[in-house]
Amino acid sequence: MSATLLTQLAAALANNTVRVVDLTQTLRPSTPVIQLPPEFAPSNPFTISEISHYDSRGPGWYWNNLSMGEHTGTHFDAPVHWVTGQHYADGFTDTIPAQRFVAPACVIDCTKEVATDEKFVLEVPHIDTWEKQHGKIPAGAWVLMRTGWSTRGDSPAFLNMKADGPHSPGPSAAAITFLVKERDVNGWGVEAVGTDHGQAFAFEPAFPAHNLMHGAKKFGLASLCNLDQLPPTGALLITPPLKIAKGSGSPLRVLALVAA
């Protein structure tokens, strides 16, 4: 039966009845990197330097050296990224079971709310409303918060730093607690630079999308794009990070399989 299903999937991909949607921002030197208070060590930005380009340094090949922090651009947060997930032996990018890198997605559309409130907070009642329309979020699913934030591109408006810190939408602690404890999700994904609300340093607990998700051995995806091309339910995400020894996360190319 499984071989038949895989054959059917391959045929559906070949005839475009299943589309592959790229949810990944392009990495470039201008890619925004999360900004921390000055007392904390910062992440390096993305840099690329040419090794050779069909020239005397290498006449038959073109390649580059890359440098960046693990959590740059569209990236994966592993459980060990946060202090609450530090003790999971299978919480590193090289030890997470590969089966968990393929999972269904539920997309909660908050674009209207964010258009009028850049500090919009997703609460449990918003999830309840979504479930009344689309059904209960299944265990093991990704929950993605669609906000339209990715259309801000590489501009300063993407980080949206203000005098009181970043202004960007995200989930409340209650919403994350609900998704972890009541829905047993695979992980949480957003279009902003990080998985938490911009003001989540003042939440209780602070940074709940990190604190609670990773403490429960669940994952994060940040800086997603093209969520408008996904249905509320029915898409399948493919999310393998780079297999870095003891990695806390990595840039990745997030792909979604969607029925045409």
Side-chain angles (χ1 to χ4, degrees):
M1 178 61 75
S2 60
T4 300
L5 288 174
L6 290 175
T7 299
Q8 292 172 344
L9 175 60
L13 288 166
N15 63 28
N16 293 321
T17 56
V18 169
R19 294 186 300 115
V20 180
V21 179
D22 190 352
L23 306 183
T24 316
Q25 300 275 11
T26 300
L27 274 174
R28 50 174 65 92
S30 59
T31 295
V33 177
I34 197 165
Q35 296 182 13
L36 300 178
E39 63 267 28
F40 299 119
S43 172
N44 290 336
F46 175 81
T47 60
I48 180 170
S49 59
E50 190 175 272
I51 302 172
S52 68
H53 197 172
Y54 325 122
D55 52 29
S56 61
R57 299 169 298 172
W61 50 91
Y62 163 59
W63 55 343
N64 301 290
N65 284 316
L66 305 177
S67 176
M68 75 202 86
E70 291 173 318
H71 301 264
T72 303
T74 301
H75 65 270
F76 182 97
D77 290 350
V80 299
H81 175 46
W82 211 249
V83 63
T84 52
Q86 65 178 303
H87 299 300
Y88 292 124
D90 55 353
F92 299 89
T93 54
D94 63 325
T95 59
I96 295 168
Q99 196 80 13
R100 294 190 64 189
F101 297 142
V102 181
C106 297
V107 183
I108 301 178
D109 186 357
C110 305
T111 51
K112 290 182 180 178
E113 292 85 353
V114 173
T116 59
D117 179 9
E118 62 184 12
K119 294 196 293 180
F120 171 73
V121 181
L122 181 79
E123 298 282 6
V124 174
H126 298 116
I127 300 173
D128 289 338
T129 298
W130 185 92
E131 289 193 324
K132 288 175 182 176
Q133 293 179 305
H134 305 292
K136 182 178 177 180
I137 295 169
W142 281 99
V143 176
L144 309 180
M145 185 178 178
R146 178 187 164 198
T147 59
W149 206 258
S150 59
T151 61
R152 296 177 177 227
D154 294 351
S155 74
F158 182 77
L159 295 179
N160 208 29
M161 296 296 295
K162 310 287 185 179
D164 61 347
H167 286 196
S168 56
S172 70
I176 292 296
T177 298
F178 177 82
L179 293 174
V180 168
K181 294 187 175 181
E182 303 299 326
R183 293 298 179 263
D184 192 22
V185 299
N186 194 49
W188 167 257
V190 302
E191 295 182 57
V193 71
T195 56
D196 268 296
H197 189 278
Q199 299 284 300
F201 55 85
F203 290 6
E204 180 55 45
F207 305 106
H210 287 80
N211 189 313
L212 301 175
M213 279 285 167
H214 300 327
K217 205 190 299 186
K218 299 180 186 303
F219 312 138
L221 292 172
S223 293
L224 297 169
C225 63
N226 295 329
L227 295 186
D228 59 313
Q229 297 184 35
L230 303 189
T233 64
L236 188 68
L237 290 197
I238 304 172
T239 61
L242 296 174
K243 197 172 182 179
I244 302 167
K246 295 190 178 299
S248 74
S250 87
L252 76 168
R253 192 154 190 176
V254 181
L255 303 178
L257 302 184
V258 179

